[in-house]
Amino acid sequence: QVQLVESGGGLVQPGGSLRLSCAASGSIFSINRMGWYRQAPGKERELVALIFAGSSTKYADSVKGRFTISRDNAKKSVYLQMNNLQPEDTAVYYCKASIIRFYNSRSNDYWGQGIQVTVSS
């Protein structure tokens, strides 16, 4: 069993900051790609940021320069520092991880339950 649990969401004013965390637990051998996605009401889920096993990163154009993704392999965790938040960043944010559960097995993708981020004055 593998679980991803997000934390750190909430309500923030435009221009404010939040830091999301996502911790993986359970039977895990290694974690490859980790990422954050978001889904706003009435819209499809979209990629926000990815971080690969070698720590290279990829961002959606809409968050470049404002959001920073990072990971702590020892804690099996991924983080999303969000600065200069705007109302259009309001969404449910999900973390996703590509996890190998046992030595020499294939990886599978796992999702967190999602956490609400609301940007409003």
Side-chain angles (χ1 to χ4, degrees):
Q1 189 82 359
V2 170
Q3 276 193 317
L4 298 179
V5 178
E6 299 108 334
S7 61
L11 173 65
V12 64
Q13 292 187 340
S17 298
L18 282 175
R19 185 177 188 245
L20 303 183
S21 300
C22 173
S25 62
S27 177
I28 296 172
F29 176 75
S30 67
I31 303 177
N32 293 334
R33 182 180 60 243
M34 306 184 83
W36 290 95
Y37 294 72
R38 67 186 181 187
Q39 188 167 17
K43 294 188 177 181
E44 293 187 354
R45 192 172 298 188
E46 63 177 1
L47 171 69
V48 176
L50 288 174
I51 185 165
F52 299 89
S55 294
S56 61
T57 58
K58 177 181 178 179
Y59 294 93
D61 288 343
S62 59
V63 307
K64 281 180 182 176
R66 300 189 298 124
F67 291 10
T68 302
I69 190 171
S70 60
R71 62 190 288 170
D72 184 330
N73 292 327
K75 295 183 178 180
K76 300 183 177 64
S77 295
V78 61
Y79 309 97
L80 187 68
Q81 177 66 42
M82 304 185 293
N83 297 329
N84 191 22
L85 282 159
Q86 299 301 316
E88 54 265 34
D89 295 315
T90 295
V92 177
Y93 284 70
Y94 298 87
C95 75
K96 179 182 176 182
S98 177
I99 293 174
I100 297 174
R101 294 192 62 197
F102 308 103
Y103 172 74
N104 217 27
S105 67
R106 63 189 299 173
S107 65
N108 288 290
D109 289 337
Y110 295 84
W111 289 90
Q113 81 284 357
I115 192 164
Q116 179 70 43
V117 171
T118 302
V119 185
S120 175
S121 55

